[in-house]
Amino acid sequence: MTVLLAVIALIALQRLSELAISARHTRQLRAKGAIEYGARHYPLLITLHAAWLASLLVFVPWDTAPHWWLLGVLALLQCGRVWVILSLGPYWTTRIITLPGATLVRRGPYRWMRHPNYAIVAGEIAVLPLAFGAWTIAILFSLLNAALLYHRIRVEDAALSARRANRQDPIAEVAARRGA
């Protein structure tokens, strides 16, 4: 097995295990009365990540020698992912799920950043292709990810601000303020 195939297999296994953890947390949160926001864009998020990995398999020669220092950066980003997941604990999901009345997490990387997971994902989407010289894939998927995150962060911020103010439907309130 080549380095490229091994790295893609590891990332794919990580993503699949994270989806399983997320599904379990989502079920538990919904059982407690949690509400999901932004469900319509969620399939785009999954598609983006799957297409990103698939594009590496299709367009990068499998025997491409990696830039090892960039794989080191990728490994550090994976440590950041684990830190985010552990910091959020049972509140971590790949969806935007909010539990009314729950205290916002302010530990781990959330002490310094509002959306550390998104910063880590942005780094991964750029660094993995760059580690194998795939500049075009890095740029294309970074731009697609940025567009999707622009929307997702707005939805998530609206949901969290509503929870801080104890409002019921933040998306409708934001739309009403915009005249939509």
Side-chain angles (χ1 to χ4, degrees):
M1 180 178 285
T2 68
V3 176
L4 174 69
L5 293 177
V7 171
I8 290 173
L10 288 171
I11 296 292
L13 285 172
Q14 176 191 40
R15 293 294 200 270
L16 291 172
S17 67
E18 288 174 359
L19 287 173
I21 292 166
S22 174
R24 185 179 71 239
H25 288 173
T26 297
R27 282 191 305 277
Q28 293 168 346
L29 289 166
R30 284 185 174 155
K32 295 177 183 177
I35 303 163
E36 180 175 2
Y37 298 94
R40 286 185 19 204
H41 76 262
Y42 186 73
L44 292 174
L45 189 74
I46 299 300
T47 301
L48 178 95
H49 284 257
W52 168 64
L53 290 175
S55 70
L56 290 166
L57 287 173
V58 171
F59 297 111
V60 177
W62 292 1
D63 60 350
T64 300
H67 298 282
W68 289 103
W69 72 274
L70 285 171
L71 288 182
V73 171
L74 185 65
L76 289 174
L77 289 167
Q78 301 320 297
C79 293
R81 282 182 84 79
V82 171
W83 191 23
V84 163
I85 292 168
L86 292 174
S87 295
L88 288 177
Y91 298 104
W92 182 84
T93 71
T94 56
R95 297 177 177 270
I96 300 172
I97 305 280
T98 184
L99 182 62
T103 305
L104 293 177
V105 172
R106 296 279 186 228
R107 64 181 168 272
Y110 292 90
R111 287 180 288 188
W112 302 289
M113 295 180 74
R114 284 189 356 218
H115 302 287
N117 193 61
Y118 299 147
I120 290 165
V121 169
E124 290 171 329
I125 286 175
V127 169
L128 177 56
L130 292 175
F132 293 93
W135 290 89
T136 305
I137 293 171
I139 292 168
L140 174 65
F141 281 91
S142 291
L143 291 172
L144 292 171
N145 184 58
L148 185 56
L149 286 182
Y150 176 77
H151 172 72
R152 185 173 173 87
I153 287 170
R154 291 174 60 173
V155 171
E156 186 169 324
D157 283 346
L160 293 176
S161 70
R163 199 168 89 197
R164 281 185 209 103
N166 201 22
R167 295 187 307 257
Q168 292 303 313
D169 190 355
I171 304 305
E173 290 181 24
V174 169
R177 282 196 300 267
R178 291 189 186 137

